[in-house]
C-alpha cells in the first residue's frame, strides 16, 4: 500500500488568492481534495500537511520515516531555494520524494532557478500548474 505525504511549504496556504495570474485560482484545499480523490483511485493513502515554518516541515519529514509513509510529494515554496535544513531532512529519511512547483521557476527570477532539494529528488515537476501535484502523486505510486 502506498502512503504518500503531500507537503506544502510557506505561502501555499494562500493558493487561490495569492498572485492568481501566476499560481491559478484553485485553493490548497481543492488541490488536496483532487489529490485525495486520485489517491483513492490508485488505492493509496494520502496525508497532507502545510506549514509556513521551516522547523515544522523538518519535523514532519522526520516523522514520515516512522509513520508508514512510502514517498513524499513536496512543494517547499521559497524554502526550495534557501533551506539546507529541508535538504538535510529529506536526505535523513530513506524515502523517495518528488519536488513540485506550480510555476515554471526557470522562467522567473534567477534566485528561483536553484533548488537545494532537486538533486536528491526522484523527480521534479515544474510549471504544470496544480496538475503537477497529481502527476507527482501518480509517480510516487508507481503509476507513470
Ligand atoms: C513555488 C515557486 C517558488 O519560487 C515560490 O517561492 C513559491 C511557489 C511554485 O509552486 O511555483 O512559493 O514553489
Amino acid at each position: 500500500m502506498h502512503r504518500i505525504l503531500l507537503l506544502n511549504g510557506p505561502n501555499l496556504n494562500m493558493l487561490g488568492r495569492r498572485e492568481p495570474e501566476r499560481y491559478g485560482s484553485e485553493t490548497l484545499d481543492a488541490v488536496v481534495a483532487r489529490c485525495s480523490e486520485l489517491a483513492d483511485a490508485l488505492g493509496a493513502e494520502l496525508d497532507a500537511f502545510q506549514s509556513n515554518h521551516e522547523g515544522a516541515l523538518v519535523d514532519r519529514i522526520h516523522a514520515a520515516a516512522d509513520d508508514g509513509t512510502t514517498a513524499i510529494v513536496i512543494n517547499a515554496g521559497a524554502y526550495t531555494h534557501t533551506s539546507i535544513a529541508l535538504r538535510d531532512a529529506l536526505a535523513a529519511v530513506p524515502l523517495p520524494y518528488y519536488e513540485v512547483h506550480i510555476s515554471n521557476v526557470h522562467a522567473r527570477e534567477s534566485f528561483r532557478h536553484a533548488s537545494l532539494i532537486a538533486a536528491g529528488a526522484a523527480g521534479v515537476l515544474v510549471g504544470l500548474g496544480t496538475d503537477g501535484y497529481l502527476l507527482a502523486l501518480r509517480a510516487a505510486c508507481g503509476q507513470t
Side-chain angles (χ1 to χ4, degrees), residues 43-102:
E45 273 180 27
L46 187 83
D47 185 16
F49 180 78
Q50 187 276 330
S51 180
N52 295 320
H53 303 276
E54 192 175 21
L57 293 164
V58 168
D59 286 345
R60 187 63 193 88
I61 291 165
H62 292 173
D66 299 317
D67 69 0
T69 296
T70 56
I72 299 172
V73 172
I74 179 167
N75 184 347
Y79 288 146
T80 304
H81 319 297
T82 64
S83 178
I84 298 168
L86 269 190
R87 177 198 178 104
D88 287 352
L90 289 163
V93 302
L95 297 171
Y97 65 91
Y98 295 82
E99 176 181 353
V100 174
H101 298 288
I102 298 165

Side-chain angles (χ1 to χ4, degrees), residues 2-137:
H2 295 283
R3 190 180 154 93
I4 311 302
L5 173 60
L6 176 61
L7 268 186
N8 277 283
N11 299 304
L12 290 158
N13 56 308
M14 297 294 285
L15 266 190
R17 301 198 269 157
R18 170 195 185 199
E19 300 180 71
E21 64 292 346
R22 188 184 300 286
Y23 296 116
S25 55
E26 195 178 9
T27 63
L28 185 58
D29 280 351
V31 173
V32 170
R34 282 210 293 150
C35 287
S36 294
E37 221 169 90
L38 176 61
D40 281 351
L42 297 174
E45 273 180 27
L46 187 83
D47 185 16
F49 180 78
Q50 187 276 330
S51 180
N52 295 320
H53 303 276
E54 192 175 21
L57 293 164
V58 168
D59 286 345
R60 187 63 193 88
I61 291 165
H62 292 173
D66 299 317
D67 69 0
T69 296
T70 56
I72 299 172
V73 172
I74 179 167
N75 184 347
Y79 288 146
T80 304
H81 319 297
T82 64
S83 178
I84 298 168
L86 269 190
R87 177 198 178 104
D88 287 352
L90 289 163
V93 302
L95 297 171
Y97 65 91
Y98 295 82
E99 176 181 353
V100 174
H101 298 288
I102 298 165
S103 64
N104 179 0
V105 284
H106 301 291
R108 299 180 61 190
E109 303 97 323
S110 58
F111 61 81
R112 294 185 204 275
H113 297 179
S115 164
L116 295 183
I117 64 173
V124 181
L125 292 102
V126 167
L128 301 173
T130 52
D131 287 350
Y133 288 101
L134 293 138
L135 293 165
L137 179 56

